[in-house]
Amino acid sequence: MAGQTLYDKLWQDHLVKTREDGTALIYIDRQLLHEVTSPQAFEGLRLANRQPWRLNANLATVDHNVPTTDRDKGVAGIEDQVSKIQVTTLDENCDEFGIVEYKMQDVRQGIVHVIGPEQGATLPGMTVVCGDSHTSTHGAFACLAHGIGTSEVEHVLATQCLIQKKMKNMLVRIDGKLGAGVSGKDVVLAIIGKIGTAGGTGYAIEFGGQVMRDMSMEGRMTVCNMAIEAGARAGMVAVDDTTIEYFKGRPYSPTGETWDKAVESWKQLTSDDDAEFDTVVVLKGEDIKPQVSWGTSPEMVAAIDENVPVPAEQTDAVKREGYERALKYMDLQAGMPITDIKVDKVFIGSCTNSRIEDLRMAAEVAKGRKVADSVKQAMVVPGSGLVKQQAEAEGLDKIFVEAGFEWRDPGCSMCLAMNPDKLEPGEHCASTSNRNFEGRQGFGGRTHLVSPAMAAAAAVEGHFVDVRDIL
Amino acid sequence: MEKFEKHTGIVAPLNRANVDTDMIIPKQFLKSIKRTGFGQNLFDEWRYLDVGQPGQDCSQRPVNEEFVLNFPRYKGASVLLAQQNFGCGSSREHAPWAISEYGFRAVIAPSFADIFFNNSFKNGLLPIVLEQSVVDTLFAEVEAEEGYQLTVDLEAQQVISPSGNAYAFEIDPFRKHCLLNGLDDIGLTLQDADVIRDFEDKRRETAPWLFTELS
């Protein structure tokens, strides 16, 4: 019999019961909650007169609606009344049920997918869910982590379980080494460009190979974060020394003998050598160049030295029409060089790229340079209050401000523009976020997905450039 | 949850691939703390010519006559015909809420994004996967004939066209059972409360670090 994949092991470890109809009850170790997808779940509990199954399994924070300026005013500083109600509703629900929440003025507040690992609330081998598709981020720590809808948020609150069917196994192996100036974001965009936004549908993806082994935890989180953009609900990376090192001294990490026991157990969280995957995709690290998305789907992506594609060259009719519609929306010419695309705004942040390493990579480019006059706004939004503190301790905030970037307070911000940070119609944005859908960053806005280093380079040049030429 | 047994209704064709949840229901409407009120903002950026805001009276807004759902012939449609990877993007359940509230009971496509697919079943909305060639045939038929209707028979697992062609579809038995009976799955899961508790107790013993008190 073939060995088990990491996903097989995580599934087996959490299998409460296989039911007669073939579905499974899977135990959930951690649920993260935020203000957008939880109010209807709490309401459902109240209507059915149910209590949370295990309070301690839940951790909440506000991130989607919070403004990134004037935070000293607290909730009162939220000008949008509808947003304010959503934030106060989470506060009230957590107070009522007794769930730990990092509220707006808590230094630990931040984007759910940043604070979970940062606090050690996400630990290797856990099942982690959240009413947010980018929950796949936590798979970087060999967790089975995926987004769920609000009905399932309520289901997990009430039962600590999910009804699941097992997914298929996919291995995406990235061999070799990455070149300088190329990071996790470029890797995952290159993967999505190769397999498409539905390539991973129905699969749990394990990212492996030498490139993943050499990558920092921050980089691995960036890669797993966008597994969902490749269609896979869950992405994951096996445990190694980098994983274990990350959890030393985190607030909710185990200590003493329990730590030793935990580490011993975590070391099992790898795919067996003889494990079989349903699909294997292989990329070479040396081939991956800095990436820029040109269209309205994350699979519409090209390397910095390439051109915007010519729709007429597409043989598939649905794809050709999709390309034509995307170029029209983005106001780009077929065949134009990617480096000719000018940017109006720059956004460095989001659950994809707002961690300390991301900010360091952007600061390295911004240092001693100035945001181009043609760029209307360039902002840096750290992923949490603690990331912000760390960056300030390293002087990164000064580098950004001196270069002409705005240094903001933590939250989801312009990734999805539920707070005041948004694009105006027609504006092009170099963004370190995860989705370039129509209207995502503001009605009529045009998003180009890039790495933090590439976003900073676009900010100083006013158009996309190969960051490897600058560094 | 509303039961789904057999449904016959007008078909609206949305012929583009990768329709994402931001398009189905834009983010400004996710600020609601209710489960209802999303139907009028379904496909908001395509349906109207202005920028929609939560709580607006949509009957006063300028309508995009070129958007397919606004064609008079598709008024009252309750079956949505779509293309590959429908519902990709975020986990927002507001997407199936909006589609259901607009009046759709079923969505037919060659493929769906996983989370959207799963969320639909929780809300009495039936997502049906049919082969690309069948979907292409249905697109041609609906565009050719005004008032075109399809019948979805969940018990028989068939989509039946006006000419009598029956197309079989797959559905997980548990989901079928819940839809046919309008069942809430929390109640079903809690029937296994003892099994869950036993599992949890063992886990607490073997992996105590997973049960750390948060503060």
Side-chain angles (χ1 to χ4, degrees):
Chain A
M1 208 179 101
Q4 288 185 302
T5 64
L6 170 58
Y7 171 61
D8 294 338
K9 291 181 184 179
L10 290 167
W11 175 269
Q12 198 59 44
D13 278 352
H14 293 86
L15 181 62
V16 175
K17 182 182 173 177
T18 305
R19 306 197 296 192
E20 284 167 20
D21 53 39
T23 57
L25 272 188
I26 292 294
Y27 187 80
I28 302 302
D29 295 311
R30 177 73 67 222
Q31 169 150 256
L32 300 167
L33 297 158
H34 64 83
E35 78 276 18
V36 181
T37 54
S38 67
Q40 298 87 349
F42 284 111
E43 187 62 17
L45 283 188
R46 267 191 293 268
L47 289 172
N49 201 20
R50 288 176 174 134
Q51 286 296 316
W53 177 278
R54 182 162 73 87
L55 280 177
N56 211 27
N58 300 284
L59 177 63
T61 196
V62 283
D63 56 6
H64 285 62
N65 281 275
V66 297
T68 54
T69 52
D70 294 326
R71 285 286 275 280
D72 50 332
K73 292 180 192 155
V75 179
I78 305 178
E79 284 180 12
D80 179 338
Q81 294 307 305
V82 193
S83 285
K84 188 190 281 180
I85 290 170
Q86 206 163 45
V87 169
T88 52
T89 301
L90 181 67
D91 292 354
E92 287 163 10
N93 281 327
C94 289
D95 291 347
E96 178 189 333
F97 287 98
I99 289 170
V100 173
E101 183 199 2
Y102 300 160
K103 295 194 166 98
M104 249 179 94
Q105 280 162 302
D106 192 318
V107 71
R108 299 169 297 176
Q109 177 271 344
I111 306 173
V112 280
H113 308 309
V114 176
I115 67 166
E118 186 173 77
Q119 293 295 320
T122 300
L123 290 172
M126 276 184 167
T127 38
V128 181
V129 295
C130 175
D132 190 288
S133 58
H134 292 110
T135 310
S136 56
T137 309
H138 307 262
F141 304 98
C143 293
L144 175 53
H146 56 77
I148 54 177
T150 299
S151 294
E152 289 184 321
V153 171
E154 184 183 340
H155 193 279
V156 173
L157 278 169
T159 70
Q160 214 52 53
C161 289
L162 270 184
I163 303 165
Q164 295 275 285
K165 279 205 103 169
K166 201 169 175 213
M167 295 180 271
K168 288 182 285 183
N169 280 292
M170 180 187 288
L171 174 66
V172 176
R173 202 180 74 219
I174 311 106
D175 294 332
K177 288 210 172 298
L178 292 181
V182 179
S183 65
K185 183 63 161 286
D186 302 302
V187 171
V188 72
L189 284 173
I191 293 167
I192 297 164
K194 185 177 170 91
I195 71 173
T197 52
T201 303
Y203 288 93
I205 300 182
E206 179 174 344
F207 298 99
Q210 195 54 42
V211 165
M212 295 310 297
R213 294 272 67 83
D214 291 343
M215 205 179 272
S216 66
M217 281 321 306
E218 283 86 354
R220 295 178 192 182
M221 281 190 264
T222 302
V223 172
C224 289
N225 173 275
M226 290 187 70
I228 185 65
E229 264 57 68
R233 298 177 76 175
M236 60 194 74
V237 178
V239 163
D240 60 11
D241 292 344
T242 308
T243 324
I244 292 165
E245 193 59 35
Y246 179 91
F247 287 105
K248 280 187 185 159
R250 303 262 161 200
Y252 302 136
S253 287
T255 52
E257 275 179 39
T258 320
W259 167 266
D260 297 338
K261 207 175 153 203
V263 168
E264 197 183 314
S265 142
W266 294 343
K267 283 184 175 165
Q268 311 304 312
L269 298 170
T270 58
S271 287
D272 295 333
D273 290 340
D274 57 344
E276 280 178 16
F277 289 85
D278 300 287
T279 302
V280 178
V281 175
V282 181
L283 282 83
K284 265 176 74 180
E286 289 80 0
D287 292 344
I288 300 174
K289 297 171 184 171
Q291 305 280 308
V292 180
S293 77
W294 52 265
T296 54
S297 164
E299 69 187 22
M300 296 175 177
V301 67
I304 183 66
D305 58 358
E306 293 178 340
N307 297 334
V308 170
V310 178
E313 291 170 3
Q314 293 297 320
T315 47
D316 179 81
V318 174
K319 202 166 184 180
R320 185 169 60 240
E321 283 162 25
Y323 276 28
E324 282 166 356
R325 195 178 290 123
L327 290 189
K328 190 173 169 215
Y329 180 85
M330 297 296 288
D331 191 29
L332 297 176
Q333 304 307 312
M336 73 186 279
I338 294 285
T339 47
D340 281 358
I341 302 172
K342 294 187 174 66
V343 302
D344 302 295
K345 285 185 177 165
V346 176
F347 170 61
I348 297 172
S350 87
C351 58
T352 313
N353 281 128
S354 64
R355 299 176 183 84
I356 190 67
E357 185 189 87
D358 301 316
L359 304 188
R360 287 179 192 143
M361 289 190 288
E364 191 186 347
V365 176
K367 192 169 188 176
R369 297 190 173 91
K370 291 280 179 206
V371 171
D373 289 342
S374 59
V375 173
K376 295 179 211 167
Q377 184 180 38
M379 63 163 86
V380 184
V381 185
S384 71
L386 292 170
V387 169
K388 189 177 186 213
Q389 268 188 357
Q390 172 73 25
E392 289 174 354
E394 295 180 17
L396 304 185
D397 58 324
K398 290 198 181 65
I399 293 174
F400 286 123
V401 171
E402 275 165 22
F405 287 84
E406 296 172 22
W407 179 244
R408 298 292 191 102
D409 287 310
C412 301
S413 181
M414 208 199 271
C415 172
L416 84 171
M418 279 187 78
N419 79 341
D421 310 335
K422 52 188 72 152
L423 297 182
E424 296 301 320
E427 287 179 339
H428 286 266
C429 181
S431 179
T432 66
S433 57
N434 40 58
R435 292 193 174 129
N436 51 350
F437 298 154
E438 291 180 25
R440 169 84 178 180
Q441 294 191 287
F443 181 80
R446 295 166 175 150
T447 304
H448 300 276
L449 304 175
V450 286
S451 72
M454 284 288 285
V460 299
E461 296 292 337
H463 59 92
F464 290 106
V465 288
D466 192 334
V467 69
R468 296 172 299 180
D469 297 339
I470 293 186
L471 289 173
Chain B
M1 189 172 83
E2 195 181 348
K3 284 185 191 181
F4 193 114
E5 291 166 313
K6 193 171 184 177
H7 176 81
T8 301
I10 293 180
V11 181
L14 185 62
N15 199 0
R16 52 172 87 185
N18 299 316
V19 170
D20 59 73
T21 53
D22 278 82
M23 273 297 120
I24 296 173
I25 181 86
K27 67 262 176 180
Q28 63 269 38
F29 306 108
L30 310 189
K31 295 179 183 181
S32 168
I33 58 169
K34 297 182 190 149
R35 252 177 204 267
T36 54
F38 302 104
Q40 62 172 1
N41 300 111
L42 173 68
F43 299 123
D44 199 274
E45 292 185 7
W46 289 335
R47 225 165 118 193
Y48 303 100
L49 294 169
D50 61 347
V51 183
Q53 294 305 329
Q56 242 175 338
D57 176 3
C58 289
S59 65
Q60 304 300 315
R61 296 176 57 194
V63 164
N64 176 10
E65 306 288 352
E66 289 175 16
F67 181 56
V68 68
L69 286 193
N70 290 328
F71 294 4
R73 62 187 283 187
Y74 300 122
K75 198 170 176 342
S78 58
V79 177
L80 184 62
L81 184 63
Q83 281 290 5
Q84 300 102 298
N85 202 25
F86 185 84
C88 61
S90 86
S91 66
R92 61 188 71 164
E93 199 161 320
H94 313 67
W97 293 339
I99 293 172
S100 293
E101 195 175 305
Y102 180 90
F104 289 112
R105 300 276 355 251
V107 185
I108 299 172
S111 60
F112 291 88
D114 284 340
I115 303 181
F116 174 84
F117 189 74
N118 196 35
N119 283 341
S120 297
F121 286 104
K122 314 280 181 194
N123 294 283
L125 176 69
L126 177 58
I128 299 171
V129 177
L130 292 179
E131 270 180 40
Q132 183 72 53
S133 60
V134 174
V135 170
D136 291 343
T137 304
L138 296 179
F139 267 107
E141 289 182 4
V142 67
E143 276 154 20
E145 184 190 332
E146 196 161 337
Y148 182 89
Q149 299 199 350
L150 285 172
T151 295
V152 177
D153 185 340
L154 178 55
E155 183 58 55
Q157 296 183 211
Q158 284 183 335
V159 174
I160 302 147
S161 76
S163 54
N165 286 326
Y167 305 102
F169 62 88
E170 293 291 321
I171 181 170
D172 171 273
F174 175 71
R175 285 169 166 160
K176 181 176 177 179
H177 174 73
C178 287
L179 269 183
L180 284 171
N181 298 288
L183 293 177
D184 154 18
D185 44 47
I186 293 180
L188 287 173
T189 300
L190 286 175
Q191 290 175 358
D192 283 319
D194 290 344
V195 188
I196 301 171
R197 212 163 279 124
D198 286 349
F199 179 92
E200 192 170 58
D201 289 345
K202 276 189 208 120
R203 196 160 175 77
R204 200 186 293 272
E205 208 158 289
T206 54
W209 57 88
L210 298 175
F211 294 82
T212 305
E213 284 295 317
L214 304 185
S215 56

